PDB file of all heavy atoms in Angstrom:
ATOM      1  N   GLU V  35      19.345  -0.712  23.589  1.00 44.00           N
ATOM      2  CA  GLU V  35      18.919  -1.714  24.533  1.00 44.00           C
ATOM      3  C   GLU V  35      17.423  -1.569  24.698  1.00 44.00           C
ATOM      4  O   GLU V  35      16.934  -0.517  25.015  1.00 44.00           O
ATOM      5  CB  GLU V  35      19.631  -1.557  25.856  1.00 44.00           C
ATOM      6  CG  GLU V  35      18.827  -0.769  26.824  1.00 44.00           C
ATOM      7  CD  GLU V  35      19.251   0.649  26.944  1.00 44.00           C
ATOM      8  OE1 GLU V  35      19.279   1.233  26.802  1.00 44.00           O
ATOM      9  OE2 GLU V  35      19.551   1.413  27.197  1.00 44.00           O
ATOM     10  N   VAL V 286      25.061   4.261 -13.258  1.00 92.00           N
ATOM     11  CA  VAL V 286      24.781   4.134 -11.832  1.00 92.00           C
ATOM     12  C   VAL V 286      23.437   4.783 -11.499  1.00 92.00           C
ATOM     13  O   VAL V 286      22.646   4.246 -10.714  1.00 92.00           O
ATOM     14  CB  VAL V 286      25.914   4.772 -11.007  1.00 92.00           C
ATOM     15  CG1 VAL V 286      25.599   4.706  -9.513  1.00 92.00           C
ATOM     16  CG2 VAL V 286      27.239   4.079 -11.291  1.00 92.00           C
ATOM     17  N   ALA V 296      11.864  -0.785  -7.904  1.00 86.00           N
ATOM     18  CA  ALA V 296      11.561  -2.172  -7.568  1.00 86.00           C
ATOM     19  C   ALA V 296      11.389  -2.351  -6.061  1.00 86.00           C
ATOM     20  O   ALA V 296      10.616  -3.193  -5.611  1.00 86.00           O
ATOM     21  CB  ALA V 296      12.664  -3.085  -8.088  1.00 86.00           C
ATOM     22  N   ASP V 857     -26.276 -13.483  10.273  1.00 80.00           N
ATOM     23  CA  ASP V 857     -25.815 -12.324  11.046  1.00 80.00           C
ATOM     24  C   ASP V 857     -25.804 -11.043  10.227  1.00 80.00           C
ATOM     25  O   ASP V 857     -25.775  -9.951  10.803  1.00 80.00           O
ATOM     26  CB  ASP V 857     -24.412 -12.581  11.601  1.00 80.00           C
ATOM     27  CG  ASP V 857     -24.409 -13.661  12.658  1.00 80.00           C
ATOM     28  OD1 ASP V 857     -25.442 -13.813  13.339  1.00 80.00           O
ATOM     29  OD2 ASP V 857     -23.386 -14.354  12.793  1.00 80.00           O
ATOM     30  N   ALA V 902     -35.723  -2.738  -0.724  1.00 89.00           N
ATOM     31  CA  ALA V 902     -36.861  -1.933  -1.176  1.00 89.00           C
ATOM     32  C   ALA V 902     -36.395  -0.887  -2.192  1.00 89.00           C
ATOM     33  O   ALA V 902     -37.011  -0.726  -3.256  1.00 89.00           O
ATOM     34  CB  ALA V 902     -37.530  -1.258   0.013  1.00 89.00           C
ATOM     35  N   ASP V 950     -37.445  -6.679  19.519  1.00 38.00           N
ATOM     36  CA  ASP V 950     -38.558  -7.605  19.711  1.00 38.00           C
ATOM     37  C   ASP V 950     -38.043  -9.011  19.957  1.00 38.00           C
ATOM     38  O   ASP V 950     -38.555  -9.734  20.811  1.00 38.00           O
ATOM     39  CB  ASP V 950     -39.472  -7.572  18.486  1.00 38.00           C
ATOM     40  CG  ASP V 950     -40.152  -6.216  18.337  1.00 38.00           C
ATOM     41  OD1 ASP V 950     -40.256  -5.506  19.347  1.00 38.00           O
ATOM     42  OD2 ASP V 950     -40.570  -5.887  17.202  1.00 38.00           O
TER      43      ASP V 950
END
Side-chain angles (χ1 to χ4, degrees):
E35 96 259 84
V286 177
D857 292 331
D950 294 338

